[in-house]
Amino acid sequence: MTEINLNYSQESGHLSLQVLNAFVDGEVWADAGTEIQKHLEDCHACTLRALSVTRLKAATARGAARFATSPEALARLSAQLRTQVAEEHSSAAKQIGRVVRFPARSASSVGAWSALAAAILLAFCFAAWQSFRQANRLTSELLDQHLATLAGSAEPQVISTDKHTVKPWFQGRIPFSFNLPEPDALPPDTMLRGADLVYVEGHPTALLLFTIHKHQVSMFVAQRNSEFAVTPRSTHAGFTLRSATTNELRLTAVSDVNPTELEALVQAVLKVQ
Amino acid sequence: MPPSHTSASFEELALPLLPALFSHAMWLCRNHAEAEDLVQETVSKALRGFDSFEPGSNFKAWIFRVLRNNFLTSRTGIAAARTVFLEDHPGVADSSDLRPTPEEHLIRLDNQAAVNEALDKLAAPFREILLLCDVEEMKYKDIAAVLDVPIGTVMSRIARARRALQQLLQPQFRESL
C-alpha cells in the first residue's frame, strides 16, 4: 500500500471515482478504508459502482491472458537471457585475466613484429575462448533441460515406449528427421520412455527420454551446427554428457548413469542414423 | 559489480518475469515478432544497466520501466507516445461525471469477448495502466515508477481508464437488454 493522501471526498453524496478505484485496488490506508466501508454500507449506488469496478478489474485481468507467451517463445527468451548472463560472467572473467598490454605506438620494427605476433596469438586465444564459451553455454543449457526433465514439472508431450509413436510425432515440428533403434537393438535394460520438443540455443531439438536401469537419460537430437559443439565426453555437476555427430545431426545424451552405458546408448542411436 | 548485483542474481530475478514482460510487450507492440524483440532488447539493456537497480526496490517495476522506455524509443512506440492526456497537465480538474449510470450499476461482464474488444479499443495509455494495475497487480507507487508520473496521475488515470472501458462496454450492454 502506498502512502497516498486520498483527499477523501463525498461530492454529490457519493465517493469520487478516484477514491472508489483506489479502494477497489487496495490502495487506501486502514482509516480511510473504514470510512469508505461505512459509506458503502449506507450508499447503495456507491456499492454497485464499487462492485462494477471490481468486476471490470477481474475482466481486464482475464482479457489480458490471451497474450500468454508460447512455450517456444518463452524457451527462446529464457535461452537468450541465460546466454547473456553467461556472456556477462565471461566478460568479467576476461577483464580480470587480461594481462597483455600493447603499446599505443611501437618505435622499433622489433616492437611492431612483437605486437603483431601478440595480436595473432590474442586473436587465436580469443577464437579458442569463444569456442569454449559457446560449448560451455550449450552444455549448461542441456544440463538445465535435463534437470527440468528430472524435476518432472511438466509431463513430456509424448509418453510412449514405441518408436513408431515417438518418431512420427516430430513430423512437422522439427526441420529434420532421425531414426530410432528397435528395442532389441538398445543396450541391456535400456528403454525409450517418451519425447518432447525443446529449444536449445533457440533451435528446435528433439528430446528423447530413455531409462537405463533406474537412471533417466535425456538425449537431444538437433541439426548439426558447426557453430556449436559439445565436448564429446565431459562431466558436469555429477552428470555425464556424451556427444556424437553424423553429417546432419548432433546427438547429445545427459545422465548420471555409468558413462560406459551412456556411451552404448549413444552408439546404438548413432548406428541407425 | 557488488555481490548483490551479480549477473546470476539478475537471472534469478528476470527469468520468472519473462512471461509477464512478453505479455505486456504484446499489448504494446501488437506483433509477436516485435514483442519478442522488445523483450530481448529489454533483458539485454537491463542486464547492462543492472548496476543502477537499487537493491530492495521493486525489480519488476524497474524492468517494466526499461521495457517501456525501450518501446517508446522504437518506431511503433514513438507513434504511440503522441497521445496527450489532459490529467497529466497540472491545473486541469477532473471533470468526469460522478453520477452513477444505470449501466454502471448493472454492467454485466460475463461476455469476455466484448471486454476484449473494449480493451482493444481503449486508448493505449489507458490500456497500459490497467494492465499494470489489474494484470501485473502492481501497486500505484510502482506504476508511478514504471510510467514516470506522479502517484496522483496514476490514480486519476486509472479512474479515467476504467470509466472509458465501462463506456466502451455500454453499447454491448444495451444490446443484451
Side-chain angles (χ1 to χ4, degrees), chain A residues 160-162 181-183 186-194 208-213 215-217 265:
Chain A
S160 173
T161 56
D162 182 5
E182 294 294 340
L186 288 169
D189 205 15
T190 301
M191 190 179 275
L192 177 67
R193 295 289 185 189
L208 305 174
L209 304 165
F210 291 92
T211 51
I212 302 177
H213 314 304
H215 299 269
Q216 292 202 41
V217 180
L265 173 62

Side-chain angles (χ1 to χ4, degrees), chain A residues 24-25 52-62, chain B residues 133-134 162:
Chain A
V24 170
D25 289 331
S52 179
V53 171
T54 308
R55 283 179 171 178
L56 199 61
K57 187 176 165 71
T60 305
R62 282 197 302 274
Chain B
C133 182
D134 299 345
R162 291 210 178 111

Side-chain angles (χ1 to χ4, degrees), chain A residues 101-119:
Chain A
R101 290 281 184 274
F102 293 104
R105 283 171 190 232
S106 177
S108 68
S109 60
V110 174
W113 280 110
S114 302
L116 181 63

Side-chain angles (χ1 to χ4, degrees), chain A residues 225-239:
Chain A
N225 183 339
S226 57
E227 280 179 57
F228 304 111
V230 182
T231 316
R233 291 172 180 78
S234 58
T235 306
H236 295 270
F239 291 96

Side-chain angles (χ1 to χ4, degrees), chain B:
Chain B
M1 259 187 209
S4 57
H5 271 66
T6 61
S7 43
S9 63
F10 176 84
E11 183 179 341
E12 205 174 292
L13 291 167
L15 209 53
L17 293 177
L18 287 178
L21 286 168
F22 179 82
S23 172
H24 201 70
M26 269 299 286
W27 278 104
L28 293 173
C29 303
R30 296 313 186 89
N31 175 292
H32 195 284
E34 271 186 46
E36 207 173 315
D37 286 349
L38 179 60
V39 175
Q40 287 198 354
E41 202 182 330
T42 299
V43 166
S44 185
K45 284 190 178 170
L47 178 60
R48 287 201 299 272
F50 194 39
D51 279 343
S52 66
F53 170 65
E54 220 173 281
S57 62
N58 190 326
F59 179 78
K60 185 174 179 176
W62 181 77
I63 200 165
F64 264 74
R65 186 173 176 171
V66 177
L67 177 93
R68 186 173 189 270
N69 288 342
N70 264 350
F71 171 71
L72 290 177
T73 53
S74 69
R75 198 177 50 184
T76 322
I78 288 166
R82 288 191 186 130
T83 314
V84 177
F85 283 86
L86 285 175
E87 86 272 20
D88 290 351
H89 296 272
V92 179
D94 181 356
S95 58
S96 51
D97 185 358
L98 298 178
R99 286 172 302 176
T101 64
E103 290 89 348
E104 204 172 41
H105 283 168
L106 298 166
I107 198 158
R108 292 185 62 83
L109 296 163
D110 47 6
N111 185 348
Q112 191 64 48
V115 176
N116 292 350
E117 198 183 326
L119 271 173
D120 283 337
K121 285 182 186 164
L122 205 60
F126 279 169
R127 188 170 52 234
E128 183 181 26
I129 204 163
L130 288 186
L131 292 171
L132 292 173
C133 182
D134 299 345
V135 180
E136 299 308 328
E137 296 178 340
M138 283 189 191
K139 289 289 169 194
Y140 283 6
K141 68 168 182 178
D142 294 326
I143 296 173
V146 173
L147 302 180
D148 198 19
V149 294
I151 284 183
T153 302
V154 171
M155 289 177 68
S156 61
R157 199 181 286 180
I158 284 176
R160 281 169 179 265
R162 291 210 178 111
R163 182 77 171 171
L165 192 58
Q166 280 173 330
Q167 282 168 352
L168 284 168
L169 283 163
Q170 279 176 14
Q172 182 268 329
F173 168 76
R174 286 192 190 105
E175 278 168 21
S176 70
L177 278 174

Side-chain angles (χ1 to χ4, degrees), chain A residues 57-246:
Chain A
K57 187 176 165 71
T60 305
R62 282 197 302 274
R66 71 184 136 135
F67 287 149
T69 331
S70 67
E72 292 81 12
L74 189 59
R76 280 193 298 273
L77 290 169
S78 304
Q80 192 246 0
L81 191 154
R82 288 195 178 108
T83 303
Q84 290 191 340
V85 167
E87 279 173 1
E88 191 74 20
H89 271 305
S90 304
S91 167
K94 198 174 94 178
Q95 280 176 6
I96 292 165
R98 187 180 290 151
V99 289
V100 179
R101 290 281 184 274
F102 293 104
R105 283 171 190 232
S106 177
S108 68
S109 60
V110 174
W113 280 110
S114 302
L116 181 63
I120 292 167
L121 182 66
L122 187 67
F124 177 77
C125 291
F126 182 72
W129 169 78
Q130 280 275 72
S131 164
F132 172 76
R133 190 187 64 177
Q134 281 166 351
N136 258 359
R137 202 167 68 201
L138 182 57
T139 301
S140 305
E141 204 175 329
L142 295 176
L143 271 177
D144 283 351
Q145 294 274 13
H146 178 63
L147 290 172
T149 309
L150 293 180
S153 51
E155 286 284 315
Q157 294 186 64
V158 189
I159 303 175
S160 173
T161 56
D162 182 5
K163 74 167 201 162
H164 300 292
T165 302
V166 171
K167 188 188 162 187
W169 183 81
F170 284 102
Q171 282 173 8
R173 290 186 163 91
I174 50 174
F176 57 91
S177 183
F178 61 90
N179 289 319
L180 281 165
E182 294 294 340
D184 55 8
L186 288 169
D189 205 15
T190 301
M191 190 179 275
L192 177 67
R193 295 289 185 189
D196 214 338
L197 174 67
V198 295
Y199 284 81
V200 177
E201 296 279 5
H203 299 287
T205 301
L207 167 58
L208 305 174
L209 304 165
F210 291 92
T211 51
I212 302 177
H213 314 304
K214 286 184 179 174
H215 299 269
Q216 292 202 41
V217 180
S218 297
M219 183 174 288
F220 300 89
V221 183
Q223 275 181 308
R224 188 174 175 177
N225 183 339
S226 57
E227 280 179 57
F228 304 111
V230 182
T231 316
R233 291 172 180 78
S234 58
T235 306
H236 295 270
F239 291 96
T240 304
L241 280 90
R242 285 287 181 272
S243 188
T245 53
T246 66

